[in-house]
Amino acid sequence: MKQFIGFIFILLSIPLLFVVQDAIAVELKNAGSFKDQIGDSIELSSPVINVPVTMKDRNGLIFAEEYIEWRDPLPLSSIPLFARQLFLESEDTGFFEHKGYDIAAIARAFAVNAATDDVSQGASTITQQVVRMRFLSTEKTYERKVTELFYAAELEKQSTKDEILEMYLNEMYFGHQVYGIGAAATFYFSKPLDTLNEAEMAFLAAIPNNPTLYDPLKHFDRTKVRQERLLSVLTKNRVLTTEEAEAHKNTTIKLRLKEKVNGFPAYSTYALAELTDLIAESEGLSKKITNAKDAAEKIALETLVKQRTAEVLSKGVIIETALNPEKQRRDEQTISSLLNPEGVQAGAAVIDNETREIVSVFAGKDYKKADFHRAFQAVRQPGSVLKPLLVYAPLFESSSYTENTPINSSNICIGSYCPTNIGGSVYGNVTVKEAFRQSHNTAAVRLLQIVGIDEAFSFIEPFGFKSITEKDRNYAAALGGFSKGMTPIELAGAYSSFIDGKYIPAHAIHAVKDRAGNVLYKWPDEQEEVWSPATVTKIRSMMSDVVLNGTGRGIPYTTSYTGAKTGTTNHYKDLWVGGLNDNYTTSVWVGYDKPQSIKNLSDQKLHLRIFSALLKD
C-alpha cells in the first residue's frame, strides 16, 4: 500500500517540474546564456589533482612526503569488489543501467524541494557526484543541478562505466584532506586497501556521506552506526547474508592513523629545488633561459619552468635521492650543538667522493620547512677559500710554476687597488706553498695578474657559479671579493674537482619516477676534466699542508688524506672552509644572516670544528 501511494505521489509531482521551470529560467538568465556556459559540445578535461610526492633515501626508504591533500589513486582492478559494492548498493543501485541521471529520483527530489521551498533534497547518481567533484561547485541551485545533468550525460558518452566508477572511488572526500578510498585505507588504518577486511572497508564507506558528521576521529560511534547501516543495505540487496553482515558488524575496528613522513626537511627542500633545475635542463629550458634575448623573455621562460615543475609534482612522482640518513642526522645534531652564541648560523654540503652525489646538507640551526636555506640560498663572498680554484690551480695549469717556486709576496698596488694581508702583515719572497699555507693576499693578487683575469675565470666556468657576473672579473676576485658570491653547495661541488681533476656536477637526485616506476627524469652522466693530474697533485699537497701547518691546523686526519683551504671576508663577517678527505668533499660557511664580525669564533676555530665533523663517516 505504501509503495502504491508513493508511486502515485511521484506521478503527481511530475507537473511540479513545469512549476519550477520559471525559477530555473530566471537563474539561467541571471547567469548568462546557458548555451554559452556549457558550449555546443561539453569538453570534460581531467582536472589537476595533486597526488603526494614521495622522497626516498639512498637505501630506498621513504624519508619525506610532500602533500596538502593525501591521495593514493588506484586502478579499479585494484579496488576490491566488496568496496565497490558498498558504494554501488548504497549510492546508486542503477549505476550500470542509467545514462548518468535517474529520472525517478529527480522527480522525487523536485517534489520534496517544491514542498519545502528549498533545493536541499538531492537525487544524484554516482556519475553526477563525479561531475560535481570534478567540474562543478557544490552549491544547491537549480542552475547548477540542471548543468549537472548535462555534464553527467556527456560524461557517460565520453567515459565507460568502469572509468566513472574509478574516478568516483578515487576522488571521494573522506575528511582530513584525504581523497579516495585507497588513501583513506592508508590514512585511517595505515595499510593498503586490499589488505583491509570487510568490516574496515564498510567503516571507510560510512565516511563520505558526510565527512564532518561521520568523522571517525571525532564521532567514532556515529561512523560505526552508519557502517552497520551500510552492511544492512548489503544484506537487503542480497550481497551479504544476515550471518555475514552480523559478523562484520561485530568485528572490532581499530584505527591506526598515518603519520606524515617529514624527515630531514633541509635535504628534502634542496631536492625539490634541484628538481626544478633537472626539469629545466631535461626539457631544454635552461639553455633557452641562458640565451634569452631580453629580461621579458627570461621571466617568461622562468615562469614556464615553475609551471612545468608544478605539473610534474601534481602527478605524485617518486624522487629517489642520494641522502645518507644516518650522516644527515648526525651532521645536523653535531653542527647545531656547535653553533653558539645564539644567532650564529652555518650552511654546508657533503659530497660522496665515490658517487659524486650530495649525501648531506646543513641548512641552518633549527631549520624548518620553507625557512631560509643556507646551503643553497645563502650567497656569500667566499674570501680565500676560492684561491685554489681561481688562482693556484689555474696558475699550475697555465705556467711552469710548482708549489716550491719562489714568488714575491710584498705589498702591491694595481692602479688604485692595493690589497693587504690579514693583520697588515708584510712579507717578502716566499714559495707558492708558503703563500698558500698562510693565505697571503698580496701573493694571490700577483699570481692572478700572472695568469690573467680572463684566463683564470675560464677555469671556473665549468662549475656553474650562478651569481658571478662580468663586474666580478677584477683583481679583488683573487681574495674572494665578489659582488655577491657563491653558496656552500656550489663550492663543495667545485672542490670535488680536486678528487681526480674531473668535474662531475654533484646532485641530490638519482632519478624521478612516476607511480608505476617509469623514469621521468634523470641527470645525464657528464664529466669534464678541468685539472691535469699534475695540478691535482700539487693542490692536494698544498691543502694537506694547510691542515698540518697552516690556517687549517686543528682539523684532524681521519683518513689517509685530508686537505682544506680556509677563507674569511673583511672584518671576519664570513668564515669558510672547503676541502676533502678520502671519503667526502665538503664546504662550510659560518656567519650571521645579517653580517657582523665573528672574529672571536674564528679564534675559537668554530669553522674548523664544523668542517671536521662533516668529514666523519
Side-chain angles (χ1 to χ4, degrees):
M1 185 65 181
K2 288 182 178 179
Q3 289 181 337
F4 177 74
I5 293 173
F7 179 70
I8 295 298
F9 182 75
I10 291 173
L11 288 178
L12 293 174
S13 298
I14 295 296
L16 288 174
L17 290 172
F18 298 99
V19 175
V20 299
Q21 184 174 347
D22 290 339
I24 295 173
V26 170
E27 290 206 37
L28 290 178
K29 184 177 181 181
N30 291 338
S33 169
F34 189 65
K35 182 179 178 180
D36 290 341
Q37 185 179 14
I38 65 172
D40 293 327
S41 177
I42 300 170
E43 295 185 7
L44 300 178
S45 57
S46 297
V48 176
I49 296 174
N50 294 315
V51 179
V53 174
T54 301
M55 296 192 192
K56 295 183 177 181
D57 63 23
R58 66 194 293 182
N59 304 313
L61 301 177
I62 296 173
F63 73 89
E65 296 169 324
E66 298 288 331
Y67 62 86
I68 297 175
E69 301 170 349
W70 177 243
R71 296 177 185 266
D72 187 14
L74 300 173
L76 188 63
S77 59
S78 296
I79 299 176
L81 175 61
F82 186 76
R84 291 180 246 169
Q85 289 173 316
L86 281 161
F87 291 97
L88 289 169
E89 298 298 330
S90 62
E91 294 288 327
D92 191 355
T93 54
F95 174 71
F96 287 102
E97 285 74 42
H98 63 61
K99 300 294 184 181
Y101 49 85
D102 186 332
I103 294 296
I106 292 171
R108 189 164 55 247
F110 266 115
V112 173
N113 292 337
T116 60
D117 193 27
D118 192 9
V119 288
S120 60
Q121 176 68 31
S124 297
T125 62
I126 281 177
T127 307
Q128 287 174 264
Q129 291 182 55
V130 170
V131 164
R132 194 157 57 241
M133 288 187 291
R134 284 194 151 210
F135 311 112
L136 303 176
S137 69
T138 57
E139 63 176 341
K140 295 181 178 180
T141 65
Y142 286 116
E143 177 191 327
R144 199 272 298 155
K145 287 182 180 294
V146 172
T147 305
E148 184 181 290
L149 296 181
F150 281 91
Y151 271 68
E154 189 63 29
L155 182 59
E156 290 273 350
K157 294 178 184 177
Q158 297 186 18
S159 306
T160 66
K161 287 288 188 179
D162 281 353
E163 288 170 341
I164 294 170
L165 184 57
E166 182 178 302
M167 295 175 203
Y168 177 72
L169 294 171
N170 280 317
E171 295 176 30
M172 285 183 297
Y173 184 52
F174 285 81
H176 300 281
Q177 298 302 306
V178 176
Y179 290 83
I181 193 167
T186 55
F187 181 80
Y188 288 107
F189 293 109
S190 293
K191 53 186 179 181
L193 177 63
D194 60 4
T195 65
L196 300 188
N197 59 45
E198 285 82 355
E200 291 168 330
M201 291 183 197
F203 189 84
L204 291 179
I207 301 171
N209 181 266
N210 189 327
T212 301
L213 184 64
Y214 300 117
D215 179 351
L217 304 189
K218 295 181 179 179
H219 308 297
F220 184 92
D221 291 343
R222 291 180 188 171
T223 315
K224 186 68 175 70
V225 169
R226 178 162 171 78
Q227 175 231 34
E228 294 180 4
R229 195 182 309 145
L230 291 176
L231 291 169
S232 296
V233 169
L234 265 60
T235 302
K236 179 182 176 182
N237 294 347
R238 298 183 179 181
V239 175
L240 294 175
T241 65
T242 301
E243 293 74 21
E244 288 172 334
E246 288 303 314
H248 298 330
K249 291 176 184 179
N250 292 326
T251 300
T252 301
I253 299 294
K254 187 175 181 180
L255 300 180
R256 186 184 168 203
L257 294 183
K258 168 186 168 50
E259 293 184 8
K260 185 174 183 178
V261 182
N262 192 24
F264 311 116
Y267 197 95
S268 64
T269 297
Y270 176 69
L272 286 175
E274 185 181 295
L275 175 64
T276 299
D277 293 338
L278 175 55
I279 292 171
E281 186 71 26
S282 301
E283 299 187 359
L285 296 172
S286 294
K287 185 175 291 187
K288 290 181 180 179
I289 290 173
T290 301
N291 298 327
K293 297 189 295 291
D294 51 40
E297 183 181 1
K298 183 178 181 181
I299 291 172
L301 288 167
E302 289 172 341
T303 300
L304 179 58
V305 170
K306 291 178 181 178
Q307 291 174 347
R308 286 291 301 125
T309 303
E311 290 169 5
V312 170
L313 289 174
S314 71
K315 296 175 183 177
V317 294
I318 298 168
I319 303 175
E320 297 178 350
T321 75
L323 171 69
N324 181 332
E326 294 80 15
K327 181 164 178 55
Q328 177 75 32
R329 183 180 296 106
R330 187 172 55 251
D331 289 349
E332 287 182 354
Q333 292 172 347
T334 302
I335 298 175
S336 293
S337 68
L338 292 172
L339 286 175
N340 291 300
E342 185 176 350
V344 175
Q345 283 290 1
V350 181
I351 296 170
D352 185 302
N353 289 352
E354 183 176 351
T355 64
R356 301 294 180 95
E357 293 175 318
I358 300 169
V359 294
S360 171
V361 296
F362 187 78
K365 187 174 183 178
D366 300 324
Y367 177 82
K368 296 180 180 62
K369 203 76 175 175
D371 283 354
F372 180 61
H373 198 298
R374 296 164 189 85
F376 79 95
Q377 292 177 326
V379 180
R380 306 298 285 261
Q381 290 191 10
S384 297
V385 76
L386 197 66
K387 288 176 181 176
L389 297 160
L390 186 65
V391 178
Y392 288 93
L395 175 74
F396 295 145
E397 286 290 314
S398 59
S399 72
S400 59
Y401 278 61
T402 70
E403 60 266 48
N404 295 316
T405 300
I407 57 173
N408 181 2
S409 194
S410 62
N411 289 345
I412 180 176
C413 284
I414 301 176
S416 60
Y417 179 61
C418 301
T420 59
N421 295 304
I422 294 178
S425 299
V426 178
Y427 304 100
N429 286 336
V430 296
T431 63
V432 169
K433 188 174 186 177
E434 289 172 324
F436 188 93
R437 178 194 305 146
Q438 301 302 333
S439 202
H440 293 183
N441 291 336
T442 47
V445 171
R446 270 197 178 85
L447 295 178
L448 180 59
Q449 190 178 36
I450 292 171
V451 175
I453 290 176
D454 290 339
E455 176 76 3
F457 271 84
S458 70
F459 281 101
I460 65 172
E461 284 180 3
F463 305 134
F465 293 117
K466 294 181 179 179
S467 299
I468 291 181
T469 64
E470 281 297 316
K471 63 182 179 181
D472 291 319
R473 291 174 176 257
N474 55 59
Y475 288 108
L479 315 182
F482 287 76
S483 55
K484 292 181 179 178
M486 47 216 55
T487 68
I489 281 181
E490 289 178 326
L491 268 172
Y495 262 78
S496 69
S497 65
F498 293 132
I499 296 172
D500 57 8
K502 297 181 179 63
Y503 176 63
I504 302 172
H507 301 299
I509 296 176
H510 274 315
V512 180
K513 298 180 178 179
D514 63 19
R515 292 170 57 81
N518 302 306
V519 176
L520 302 176
Y521 300 98
K522 189 178 179 69
W523 287 108
D525 294 327
E526 56 182 348
Q527 64 179 33
E528 182 175 351
E529 185 167 334
V530 290
W531 314 122
S532 66
T535 292
V536 171
T537 298
K538 294 168 187 172
I539 292 293
R540 286 173 66 94
S541 172
M542 294 197 304
M543 289 201 302
S544 177
D545 183 51
V546 167
V547 172
L548 294 173
N549 306 301
T551 57
R553 289 184 65 182
I555 298 172
Y557 254 71
T558 54
T559 64
S560 64
Y561 174 82
T562 300
K565 182 68 186 77
T566 61
T568 59
T569 57
N570 288 343
H571 309 294
Y572 292 88
K573 291 179 180 178
D574 305 278
L575 302 179
W576 286 90
V577 191
L580 64 158
N581 65 7
D582 290 339
N583 301 322
Y584 300 114
T585 300
T586 187
S587 170
V588 59
W589 163 86
V590 179
Y592 285 94
D593 289 334
K594 293 184 178 180
Q596 58 180 284
S597 177
I598 50 173
K599 186 178 186 307
N600 60 321
L601 297 180
S602 176
D603 295 339
Q604 297 169 21
K605 299 186 177 182
L606 174 62
H607 52 318
L608 303 187
R609 285 185 282 152
I610 293 174
F611 176 84
S612 301
L614 291 170
L615 289 183
K616 292 180 180 178
D617 259 328

